[in-house]
Amino acid sequence: MSQSHPRISKAVIPAAGLGTRFLPATKATPKEMLPVVDKPAIQYVVEEAVSAGLDDVLMVTGRNKRPLEDHFDRNYELESALQKKGDADRLAKVQESSDLATMHYVRQGDPKGLGHAVLCAAPHVGHEPFAVLLGDDLIDPRDLLLQRMIDVQQQYGGSVVALMEVAPEQIHLYGSAAVETTEDSDVVRVSGLVEKPAREEAPSHYAVIGRYVLDPAVFDILRRTEPGRGGEIQLTDALQQLAEDEKVGGPVHGVVFKGRRYDTGDRGDYLRAIVRLACEREDLGPDFRTWLHRYVTEEMQQR
């Protein structure tokens, strides 16, 4: 029988990565600040957390990440200049990011992996369940993945991961979950997890994507977790221990996601995300779709 568990209110966004796949653009600019149309990628992620009712956001940052803090802070000089010009539309856009949520920041001193980044959030989170959103994965706001995960966590307790079925040749890029069906068609019980397995060693084609709702018991496990794949402390390894013994911190469930996801951590997918989102914008879409159609049908055929 299902039971109700405490509703979560805090979100953690690890943002300490170096963004090496986007060099030289990320030499002096955080990868999270790269624009997706006209907003930095990180703003989409914070907006997703807020839409799910999580307005207490902790960002785990590193060196050269000060622009992230500046983006979600007030810019009085810019706001004053826009007010004097009477530019209410742009003023509203500037103020939007600073009014989104209550933002907090902590530095991850050493790049020891995602598990270590999550562990940096322990003093802020305390003994409450919490969400983790990775900045490379943008979930379309029309697909309420995080909200669904929170509902599943409230029903079953424990932890919840987001899963997406991928092609067998891609599973080595993700954590892979061994799963069991439940009464809900989009919810599975996770019995095991493997970080970036070889194709022939993957327990399934269900890949863990960048959304988690975690029981605070994960912190004690992460403190004891030795560096794993890549010499880093892997969150997947900690979740594996939770999946093996639900007495530690409750069961681990997965929400199978079949919606729209934009991977901005890969250059090709980043470009595709911009095109898809621009096409769907009311202010940009009509003209942009017309140009894109002409470009594909005419100019590309000449190459």
Side-chain angles (χ1 to χ4, degrees):
M1 180 180 295
S2 64
Q3 56 182 328
S4 179
H5 295 267
R7 197 72 174 179
I8 73 171
S9 62
K10 295 178 179 178
V12 175
I13 302 177
L18 297 176
T20 53
R21 286 181 289 180
F22 279 85
L23 287 171
T26 50
K27 179 181 178 181
T29 301
K31 66 174 182 176
E32 296 84 3
M33 289 300 297
L34 295 179
V36 180
V37 188
D38 54 3
K39 287 192 296 189
I42 194 66
Q43 184 169 333
Y44 289 89
V45 180
V46 175
E47 289 173 348
E48 179 186 352
V50 172
S51 294
L54 312 182
D55 57 2
D56 184 323
V57 178
L58 174 70
M59 202 167 292
V60 183
T61 67
R63 294 185 60 209
N64 301 323
K65 298 286 184 167
R66 182 59 185 270
L68 293 171
E69 299 183 33
D70 291 340
H71 180 72
F72 292 101
D73 198 0
R74 297 291 299 275
N75 186 327
Y76 294 103
E77 294 82 2
L78 177 58
E79 292 177 26
S80 177
L82 292 172
Q83 283 178 333
K84 290 177 180 178
K85 291 181 178 180
D87 195 338
D89 289 341
R90 288 190 173 88
L91 177 61
K93 290 180 179 179
V94 168
Q95 292 176 332
E96 181 182 11
S97 59
S98 57
D99 295 338
L100 267 176
T102 302
M103 301 295 298
H104 308 271
Y105 304 90
V106 64
R107 285 276 186 103
Q108 182 185 14
D110 298 314
K112 296 180 180 179
L114 177 57
H116 181 259
V118 171
L119 185 56
C120 290
H124 181 77
V125 169
H127 300 288
E128 305 174 24
F130 63 103
V132 175
L133 299 86
L134 303 190
D136 287 347
D137 279 348
L138 302 189
I139 304 298
D140 193 291
R142 293 166 294 183
D143 298 317
L144 305 181
L145 171 60
L146 184 58
Q147 183 64 64
R148 176 60 174 151
M149 294 174 68
I150 291 172
D151 291 342
V152 170
Q153 195 279 337
Q154 188 176 35
Q155 180 180 0
Y156 294 104
S159 298
V160 182
V161 299
L163 301 175
M164 177 176 278
E165 192 165 9
V166 300
E169 59 270 18
Q170 293 182 317
I171 195 65
H172 71 282
L173 301 172
Y174 301 88
S176 176
V179 302
E180 303 166 2
T181 59
T182 70
E183 295 178 355
D184 297 309
S185 61
D186 65 333
V187 178
V188 294
R189 179 73 172 265
V190 176
S191 58
L193 289 156
V194 182
E195 178 66 16
K196 296 182 178 179
R199 175 176 177 172
E200 61 275 8
E201 297 174 357
S204 75
H205 298 154
Y206 284 112
V208 180
I209 59 175
R211 297 294 181 270
Y212 309 82
V213 177
L214 301 177
D215 186 275
V218 74
F219 292 132
D220 285 337
I221 296 176
L222 286 170
R223 291 185 184 101
R224 302 190 303 267
T225 300
E226 296 294 327
R229 189 179 182 91
E232 298 180 338
I233 298 175
Q234 299 290 347
L235 179 60
T236 303
D237 293 341
L239 288 170
Q240 164 66 20
Q241 293 188 46
L242 289 175
E244 287 178 344
D245 185 3
E246 69 176 66
K247 294 179 181 179
V248 176
V252 178
H253 285 86
V255 171
V256 179
F257 181 61
K258 297 181 180 180
R260 290 153 287 202
R261 166 181 174 256
Y262 312 109
D263 183 0
T264 61
D266 174 82
R267 289 175 298 174
D269 283 342
Y270 171 75
L271 294 173
R272 284 185 282 272
I274 292 174
V275 171
R276 290 175 65 181
L277 289 172
C279 283
E280 295 176 2
R281 286 268 295 260
E282 292 183 2
D283 57 339
L284 298 173
D287 288 341
F288 184 70
R289 288 193 299 269
T290 299
W291 172 85
L292 185 62
H293 182 268
R294 184 172 63 249
Y295 177 73
V296 171
T297 57
E298 297 177 7
E299 295 187 37
M300 287 299 293
Q301 291 179 2
Q302 299 175 11
R303 294 176 180 268

